[in-house]
Amino acid sequence: MTISSFHNPVPVNAIAAEDGGSGSNGSVSSTPTDYEESSSLDGGYRIPPPEIRDIVDAPPLPALSFSPQRDKILFLKRRALPPLTELARPEEKLAGVRIDGKCNTRSRMSFYTGIGIHQLMQDGTLGPEKEVHGFPDGAKINFVSWSHDGRHLSFSIRFDEEQSENSKLRVWVADVETGEARPLFQSPDIYLNAVFDNYVWVNDSTLLICTIPSSRGDPPKKPLVPSGPKIQSNEQKNVVQVRTFQDLLKDEYDEDLFDYYATSQLLLASLDGTVKAIGPPAVYTSLDPSPDEKYLLISSIHRPYSFIVPCGRFPKKVDIWTTDGKFVRELCDLPLAEDIPIAFNSVRKGRRSINWRADKPSTLYWVETQDGGDAKVEVSPRDIVYTQPADALDGEQAEVLHKLDLRYGGISWCDDSLALVYESWYKTRRTRTWVISPGSKDVSPRILFDRSSEDVYSDPGSPMLRRTPAGTYVIAKIKKEKDAEPCILLNGSGATPEGNIPFLDLFDINTGSKERIWESNKEKYYETVVALMSDQNEGDLYLDQLKILTSKESKTENTQYYLQSWPDKKVCQITNFPHPYPQLASLQKEMIRYQRKDGVQLTATLYLPPGYDPSKDGPLPCLVWSYPGEFKSKDAAGQVRGSPNEFAGIGPTSALLWLARRFAILSGPTIPIIGEGDEEANDRYVEQLVASAEAAVEEVIRRGVAHPNKIAVGGHSYGAFMTANLLAHAPHLFCCGVARSGAYNRTLTPFGFQNEDRTLWEATSTYVEMSPFMSANKIKKPILLIHGEEDNNSGTLTMQSDRFFNALKGHGALCRLVVLPFESHGYAARESIMHVLWETDRWLQKYCVNTPDVVADLDASKDDPNKTAKDSESKVVSASGGGSPEQDGFHSATRSLLW
């Protein structure tokens, strides 16, 4: 179990920096905040004012990982933002995957810099830190994993190229008691292949590892002259509709290159140094040992490949082997899946979601669609769940476990008497939970919960899981006393009209009765149940022996972790992380509610700077930052989500950074786009978007915290799309806008986007009316566009911002385009992020804080020539009727739990 607890999250696909200090990378220059004296087209990366920079550069907190026995905790240490040199490393873009050829991994991986081991003492406190040691300084650590018995750690190590002749990954192991680490392989020439699944513990002393084949030579060389033209054909008139996937294979050379990097040789490696190769080299994508450690479930992909879909849809083969490397049988060999319909809930034909039952030694289960994978086909049942032993006799057929009329969504296993099966349907937002008895054919399945997934108030919670000795997780059964019927624990977010109040219920699966045994403090704190900690012993669990791990935070206190034990519910704090940004410790936060003109209830979180008093200080410049969402009902759209007591996490490009610049921040105002019944939400997108924005702006003005002429709007991705539409269709609300990594012309994503699954040809007017590109002539307020030059998101090609900027410029709009070299959909490098913040601050200071009459300026100077320029580092293009050009950008804060 790993808990990621930090305030400055590095994007998942980023690599952390050597040093997070100001100017330490040598490529970000200090910039005066007098933006009028600084040419907006000057070369070089810039940094924002110190009040913003200091928050972003604060060192990140470690991630936590508990041992299987819950008696030790790892502190996985991290660095701050990575330098641009990390992102600038060459990468191969193949089959929807970006590969670092030097490391033979996915590119831009984050990493740890060190591992600290703490004993969890009986009183709940942590013992002194024991540093894992034995590896060279400067090592980048990845894929940290506990052995089943908790006595060893495995992890990979790599180095920067300047530190080592070879930057490929090697597997290391460490003794948990001593902290001593050593290479797993005696040979220095065995390297990890981490393009797909990399390694897994088979038992307490053996790992199954994907390695680079020792016989592999140099990468294939691209031919100077192609063997022929690139040809694709659909002479069979197949209907093949796909979204705008990026980084696809382009030709035979790409196919060869993909095979070169993705092909692995599987090795069984024991801690005693024994190594055994099993199976032929292949593109292995997943490795899964059975709970009894006798079998391996091995998945691989193979040719023929595709030029129009990513590798997840390539032909897929699933086999069963023994753990000593003997082939048992083939479970399936699925063909290339280019024709999965774009309708939501459409799936691949054939067996899918193949897994081991968590409660059995070696029993498989999987799902097969009955509608050909097409969600538009009406059929009953729609999905069938099957089960079969790994050692099934020849001719033994799989057994039908359960039939579903909605789309399969997973199973929580307990034992032969209990499992919970989930199904859902996006179009109706219906979700159902079934109770089944896997070992009793005479017990009929029954529906436990049948509700709308949008109705957060009715969410009963999810069953808590306990770890088995085999390392799997099953539903925990709890008894109040020895002869009582067992219950399960439901862990819920507890959404209410006053905000989330997480809870833990003791739930009788047979009668439906429930007893609340724990609930978050609703007055000041926001607490959640993270994990069950009293699951080390086999047999029944009793309520008076219950122990849980919880997190606790408030508006001004950052997240800490606690152990709570029954029967007295004693609480022990086990972490004491410092406040990540003490300069904003006394920020003001309030969850506010207001109403749209059509009666829909809306919510938002209003943040105000420390010490601000509206009665004394008057209204502030305000930044509205949001992201629209689709709903099927007005009631669901109006429900409150989140808690007023949650800690204000501030990420590297969060809008909340501008609290340090004395802005009011309206974060996440709900922008519901509702399509009730047979109505499609997006058919009234603009109307509902504007109505939601009007209500939000009216509320902050009514409260006296926002100056009516100094309200800016911004968003990332679909939030950028929202921003452009609001400046086009509601120019009276905002003085300027910031749009990051957005899409603006929906005709460039003709086979669906976001939650729209109709094609351009089925909903032409909707695609056109939703596209701010088509309304570029209406945008009169300043808009800043920011985009990563290597954006790999399927709906937001960098071209979207390029073309939108040119459309704006062609109509004399005051606009600016910043293209960030090497950056993807989310921004990672310190140079890029600091420059984005500088651009943002400059834009807001000029067009929000010091608001000129921009529209009047534009109208008076339409004859001035547009100006374009390219920066040698961050590419900046500006267009302005008569004023000088500008720029900006953000990234929302994140907090995640990784399991």
Side-chain angles (χ1 to χ4, degrees):
M1 181 182 70
T2 301
I3 302 171
S4 182
S5 173
F6 52 104
H7 65 279
N8 278 346
V10 176
V12 170
N13 65 340
I15 303 176
E18 176 69 26
D19 180 88
S22 173
S24 63
N25 297 318
S27 54
V28 181
S29 58
S30 180
T31 308
T33 55
D34 185 355
Y35 295 116
E36 292 299 332
E37 296 180 6
S38 174
S39 169
S40 62
L41 297 180
D42 284 350
Y45 287 91
R46 305 300 184 90
I47 56 176
E51 54 263 49
I52 290 177
R53 182 177 70 245
D54 291 347
I55 296 173
V56 177
D57 271 341
L61 299 175
L64 308 184
S65 178
F66 285 81
S67 67
Q69 289 70 33
R70 307 294 197 248
D71 61 343
K72 296 180 178 65
I73 306 176
L74 301 183
F75 276 45
L76 302 172
K77 301 171 184 180
R78 293 182 282 217
R79 298 175 184 174
L81 297 172
L84 192 63
T85 52
E86 295 284 0
L87 273 65
R89 289 171 60 103
E91 58 183 0
E92 304 291 347
K93 302 173 183 178
L94 303 167
V97 177
R98 294 187 174 182
I99 299 171
D100 183 330
K102 292 288 186 182
C103 297
N104 219 104
T105 66
R106 298 291 180 100
S107 61
R108 309 182 182 202
M109 290 196 309
S110 60
F111 63 89
Y112 302 115
T113 60
I115 304 173
I117 305 172
H118 292 267
Q119 184 78 29
L120 186 58
M121 312 304 286
Q122 288 295 323
D123 61 359
T125 60
L126 295 183
E129 182 173 276
K130 183 188 306 173
E131 190 80 19
V132 174
H133 58 279
F135 50 83
D137 293 339
K140 296 180 177 181
I141 302 169
N142 287 100
F143 311 124
V144 181
S145 178
W146 291 91
S147 63
H148 295 169
D149 59 7
R151 295 175 57 192
H152 291 90
L153 297 173
S154 58
F155 50 91
S156 69
I157 280 182
R158 60 191 162 99
F159 298 94
D160 288 328
E161 286 185 89
E162 60 269 19
Q163 295 175 281
S164 172
E165 293 181 0
N166 197 320
S167 55
K168 292 182 173 61
L169 281 66
R170 290 184 172 90
V171 181
W172 283 57
V173 290
D175 184 290
V176 172
E177 285 303 315
T178 66
E180 182 69 32
R182 61 177 175 84
L184 175 62
F185 297 110
Q186 294 179 1
S187 169
D189 298 323
I190 299 177
Y191 302 110
L192 186 67
N193 187 336
V195 172
F196 291 110
D197 208 353
N198 43 73
Y199 63 77
V200 63
W201 286 92
V202 174
N203 54 45
D204 293 339
S205 61
T206 306
L207 295 99
L208 178 64
I209 304 173
C210 287
T211 65
I212 298 172
S214 58
S215 59
R216 189 180 79 173
D218 295 331
K221 293 184 178 180
K222 188 169 186 175
L224 295 177
V225 179
S227 59
K230 299 176 183 178
I231 298 173
Q232 298 185 55
S233 174
N234 192 33
E235 296 180 53
Q236 295 78 27
K237 297 184 178 179
N238 294 324
V239 176
V240 179
Q241 300 179 351
V242 295
R243 292 204 174 192
T244 48
F245 297 118
Q246 299 195 52
D247 301 338
L248 301 177
L249 299 177
K250 299 180 290 298
D251 50 32
E252 292 180 3
Y253 167 72
D254 274 2
E255 291 181 306
D256 293 342
L257 206 57
F258 177 73
D259 276 337
Y260 177 84
Y261 288 115
T263 297
S264 296
Q265 173 63 61
L266 296 183
L267 295 183
L268 280 170
S270 297
L271 297 179
D272 63 8
T274 305
V275 177
K276 178 182 178 181
I278 66 170
V283 183
Y284 296 108
T285 56
S286 69
L287 319 171
D288 191 8
S290 61
D292 63 2
E293 303 174 355
K294 291 182 178 179
Y295 298 97
L296 299 170
L297 188 64
I298 305 293
S299 299
S300 59
I301 55 178
H302 60 82
R303 299 194 185 213
Y305 296 151
S306 171
F307 297 154
I308 64 172
V309 294
C311 58
R313 298 193 183 185
F314 287 178
K316 179 181 179 181
K317 190 169 180 284
V318 183
D319 295 327
I320 302 176
W321 298 354
T322 63
T323 47
D324 59 0
K326 295 178 181 177
F327 176 81
V328 177
R329 61 189 172 104
E330 178 186 290
L331 277 180
C332 63
D333 193 349
L334 305 177
L336 179 65
E338 289 184 331
D339 59 348
I340 299 176
I342 63 172
F344 292 113
N345 288 123
S346 294
V347 295
R348 188 175 194 155
K349 300 173 187 176
R351 296 184 182 185
R352 69 183 200 277
S353 301
I354 305 172
N355 289 292
W356 298 107
R357 275 185 60 168
D359 62 328
K360 289 290 184 181
S362 52
T363 299
L364 294 158
Y365 69 99
W366 65 84
V367 187
E368 294 186 36
T369 179
Q370 307 300 299
D371 57 13
D374 190 347
K376 292 184 178 180
V377 173
E378 296 295 333
V379 65
S380 177
R382 189 175 291 277
D383 272 341
I384 298 180
V385 184
Y386 294 91
T387 183
Q388 188 180 55
D391 54 358
L393 301 175
D394 289 344
E396 183 179 347
Q397 296 298 309
E399 179 183 336
V400 174
L401 183 68
H402 192 52
K403 297 180 179 180
L404 300 166
D405 284 337
L406 308 181
R407 189 62 80 203
Y408 168 81
I411 300 179
S412 294
W413 298 97
C414 183
D415 51 33
D416 273 340
S417 68
L418 173 64
L420 300 181
V421 184
Y422 310 100
E423 63 175 343
S424 62
W425 199 247
Y426 178 77
K427 278 290 185 183
T428 60
R429 307 302 198 272
R430 189 179 188 185
T431 180
R432 297 196 295 194
T433 302
W434 290 84
V435 178
I436 67 171
S437 297
S440 304
K441 294 182 180 179
D442 56 342
V443 178
S444 299
R446 61 184 175 87
I447 294 176
L448 183 63
F449 304 121
D450 188 347
R451 46 182 291 273
S452 168
S453 59
E454 290 184 337
D455 181 11
V456 294
Y457 292 170
S458 71
D459 187 352
S462 301
M464 293 212 70
L465 305 180
R466 66 175 293 177
R467 189 181 187 276
T468 70
T472 62
Y473 286 85
V474 298
I475 297 173
K477 283 186 174 180
I478 305 290
K479 288 185 175 182
K480 292 187 68 173
E481 52 195 34
K482 185 174 182 181
D483 297 325
E485 286 297 314
C487 297
I488 67 172
L489 293 169
L490 291 180
N491 182 13
S493 59
T496 74
E498 287 71 45
N500 288 0
I501 307 172
F503 63 84
L504 193 61
D505 281 349
L506 198 61
F507 181 74
D508 190 317
I509 205 82
N510 296 313
T511 66
S513 63
K514 62 178 69 174
E515 176 187 347
R516 188 141 299 178
I517 63 171
W518 178 90
E519 187 174 71
S520 172
N521 179 314
K522 67 184 79 173
E523 302 303 323
K524 179 181 178 182
Y525 292 102
Y526 176 72
E527 301 167 286
T528 61
V529 176
V530 179
L532 184 66
M533 299 294 283
S534 52
D535 59 357
Q536 298 93 335
N537 299 322
E538 293 189 64
D540 294 331
L541 298 178
Y542 291 95
L543 183 59
D544 62 2
Q545 299 171 339
L546 185 65
K547 183 185 292 185
I548 58 175
L549 176 70
T550 63
S551 66
K552 183 178 180 180
E553 61 195 86
S554 72
K555 296 177 184 179
T556 57
E557 299 170 64
N558 53 304
T559 304
Q560 307 292 353
Y561 293 94
Y562 297 77
L563 287 176
Q564 185 161 343
S565 305
W566 271 251
D568 56 0
K569 297 188 179 181
K570 179 183 176 183
V571 177
C572 297
Q573 183 174 342
I574 61 174
T575 63
N576 188 25
F577 296 125
H579 196 291
Y581 19 87
Q583 60 271 57
L584 291 180
S586 59
L587 61 79
Q588 303 173 59
K589 175 185 177 182
E590 181 183 0
M591 184 176 284
I592 64 173
R593 302 169 201 172
Y594 49 98
Q595 186 171 291
R596 203 163 75 178
K597 62 184 179 183
D598 60 359
V600 176
Q601 296 296 314
L602 304 176
T603 59
T605 304
L606 177 63
Y607 293 90
L608 298 171
Y612 168 72
D613 184 341
S615 62
K616 297 179 181 178
D617 302 327
L620 297 171
C622 177
L623 175 60
V624 178
W625 194 265
S626 193
Y627 192 98
E630 293 79 11
F631 293 87
K632 288 301 294 179
S633 74
K634 291 182 178 180
D635 289 343
Q639 291 183 350
V640 177
R641 292 163 173 82
S643 167
N645 295 326
E646 286 181 272
F647 181 69
I650 303 179
T653 45
S654 167
L656 300 187
L657 289 166
W658 272 265
L659 290 168
R661 297 286 277 167
R662 306 296 292 176
F663 269 71
I665 309 296
L666 192 66
S667 177
T670 48
I671 310 284
I673 311 298
I674 304 165
E676 294 188 301
D678 294 331
E679 182 186 25
E680 295 289 347
N682 284 337
D683 290 343
R684 294 198 299 121
Y685 173 86
V686 171
E687 172 192 337
Q688 297 189 66
L689 177 71
V690 171
S692 299
E694 284 178 336
V697 168
E698 288 170 3
E699 180 64 17
V700 291
I701 293 174
R702 183 191 69 79
R703 288 171 172 263
V705 298
H707 191 291
N709 296 327
K710 298 183 178 183
I711 301 177
V713 62
H716 183 87
S717 194
Y718 208 52
F721 176 73
M722 168 205 76
T723 298
N725 265 309
L726 285 173
L727 293 187
H729 302 291
H732 58 292
L733 298 177
F734 303 104
C735 60
C736 65
V738 177
R740 287 189 314 143
S741 298
Y744 310 101
N745 183 352
R746 300 277 49 140
T747 69
L748 296 177
T749 54
F751 289 107
F753 58 89
Q754 199 67 9
N755 290 318
E756 176 61 69
D757 63 358
R758 295 172 295 175
T759 71
L760 168 64
W761 300 273
E762 293 171 322
T764 305
S765 60
T766 298
Y767 272 65
V768 171
E769 290 167 9
M770 285 183 71
S771 298
F773 180 87
M774 305 300 179
S775 301
N777 60 318
K778 299 179 182 179
I779 295 180
K780 305 299 182 183
K781 295 294 179 70
I783 182 169
L784 172 63
L785 306 174
I786 300 177
H787 218 118
E789 192 169 32
E790 304 296 332
D791 194 326
N792 63 345
N793 189 48
S794 62
T796 55
L797 290 76
T798 308
M799 173 181 63
Q800 289 271 5
S801 286
D802 289 332
R803 293 188 177 179
F804 187 43
F805 173 76
N806 285 328
L808 292 167
K809 187 173 62 171
H811 291 89
L814 198 164
C815 53
R816 185 175 181 85
L817 171 63
V818 180
V819 179
L820 303 168
F822 305 116
E823 295 290 353
S824 186
H825 190 60
Y827 316 140
R830 182 176 185 271
E831 292 92 332
S832 302
I833 287 173
M834 290 297 181
H835 189 84
V836 163
L837 298 176
W838 179 84
E839 295 274 6
T840 300
D841 193 64
R842 181 176 183 275
W843 195 258
L844 294 178
Q845 295 298 323
K846 182 162 182 122
Y847 293 115
C848 186
V849 176
N850 303 309
T851 313
D853 191 346
V854 175
V855 175
D857 289 347
L858 287 171
D859 291 341
S861 55
K862 284 183 178 177
D863 294 332
D864 283 6
N866 294 319
K867 300 177 182 179
T868 62
K870 284 194 174 181
D871 185 314
S872 61
E873 297 184 66
S874 69
K875 300 180 182 178
V876 181
V877 185
S878 299
S880 169
S884 57
E886 318 332 87
Q887 50 190 191
D888 158 351
F890 297 161
H891 203 326
S892 58
T894 61
R895 181 182 294 130
S896 63
L897 290 177
L898 305 177
W899 294 83

